[in-house]
Amino acid sequence: MKRGRLFLMLLGILCVWSCKETAQEITLSETQVSLYVGEKVALEANVPVDWMSDDTFYASVSTEGEVLAQHVGTTTIVAQGADGGRATCTVTVKPYFNTFTEPCLEAFGQPASVLKAMEGRELISETAERLVYQTQEPYLSDMAYAVNQRDGVLMATFTMQAEYCTEVVAAIKERYAERWQPSRNLWEFYTPDGKVFIRCQFIDSDFETFGITYQLVVD
């Protein structure tokens, strides 16, 4: 009886090992691609596979292997074979617009000291509740951060001439998801992790000034 059980165990191990050995290797037409937001590329595999994306916020993939770049960032497209084989392609999504230098989002929710260590702009004004940095883009106002002791960096605001709003909103759309359908004079977005809410809007009756606010979502 013991010999019979031992034989069955060895047979099972041999079967698993044999299956692993016979799984067909999957190769893809590309293992790394770089796309602009909105661009597509068709991936091909040497065997039938199921396609999936690790993060569809950055890039999605159809059942036929067509990849669509959604937002700026990086994700992995996975090709999964029926016999357990697997291959991947890294997709890097690039922006069309590098219109302005965004606030230092990594410092949101952190003490003011963290912001001061990370922010590359020149600090030109500081109080316990507000830090103001000089922007490098001539059409933007200074970048102002609101801070409190409990939650740290809460908000960053700046304004610009209204003529630049279309390009600035386009740059933000490439990086973040729309929170609601934008009205004619208001656009709202959020970061992929849901921690920062972004509002873009005209702020005077003559539509000569456009304001941008990045705000920490506090529970």
Side-chain angles (χ1 to χ4, degrees):
M1 180 67 71
K2 290 183 178 179
R3 288 183 179 180
R5 289 179 181 176
L6 180 60
F7 174 76
L8 290 175
M9 287 176 61
L10 290 173
L11 184 63
I13 293 171
L14 180 62
C15 180
V16 171
W17 177 82
S18 177
C19 290
K20 288 183 178 179
E21 286 295 307
T22 58
Q24 188 169 1
E25 181 181 0
I26 298 174
T27 59
L28 302 181
S29 54
E30 303 282 352
T31 57
Q32 291 186 346
V33 295
S34 182
L35 304 171
Y36 287 104
V37 173
E39 286 188 332
K40 297 178 180 180
V41 65
L43 297 180
E44 297 179 355
N46 62 323
V47 296
V49 295
D50 292 324
W51 297 96
M52 64 197 79
S53 171
D54 277 354
D55 196 327
T56 57
F57 180 81
Y58 300 108
S60 60
V61 63
S62 71
T63 55
E64 291 79 29
E66 184 176 71
V67 177
L68 173 62
Q70 302 277 9
H71 295 93
V72 175
T74 302
T75 189
T76 300
I77 302 300
V78 179
Q80 186 78 45
D83 59 3
R86 190 174 184 270
T88 61
C89 175
T90 301
V91 178
T92 300
V93 182
K94 304 177 294 185
Y96 276 113
F97 301 98
N98 287 301
T99 306
F100 67 101
T101 305
E102 291 189 286
C104 187
L105 299 186
E106 296 85 354
F108 275 53
Q110 304 293 325
S113 58
V114 174
L115 172 64
K116 292 168 71 174
M118 299 180 70
E119 176 59 79
R121 301 174 178 88
E122 179 185 355
L123 181 62
I124 57 177
S125 175
E126 179 181 2
T127 67
E129 296 81 25
R130 181 179 168 89
L131 287 83
V132 181
Y133 289 84
Q134 183 174 340
T135 58
Q136 290 137 18
E137 295 84 0
Y139 55 88
L140 302 183
S141 69
D142 297 332
M143 186 78 66
Y145 291 89
V147 184
N148 70 28
Q149 289 186 348
R150 189 190 72 176
D151 299 305
V153 180
L154 289 173
M155 184 184 302
T157 59
F158 59 97
T159 60
M160 69 186 66
Q161 300 165 30
E163 63 185 288
Y164 296 100
C165 77
T166 300
E167 188 172 332
V168 168
V169 170
I172 293 174
K173 280 185 176 182
E174 289 188 323
R175 293 160 173 81
Y176 309 111
E178 294 184 20
R179 187 180 180 103
W180 292 296
Q181 184 66 27
S183 69
R184 189 179 68 165
N185 300 319
L186 174 65
W187 295 260
E188 294 179 316
F189 304 88
Y190 60 92
T191 54
D193 59 11
K195 292 182 178 179
V196 178
F197 172 70
I198 304 161
R199 172 171 288 187
C200 314
Q201 64 185 131
F202 292 98
I203 57 176
D204 70 13
S205 58
D206 296 326
F207 292 168
E208 293 178 353
T209 307
F210 194 68
I212 313 289
T213 300
Y214 288 70
Q215 184 171 352
L216 180 69
V217 177
V218 180
D219 295 333

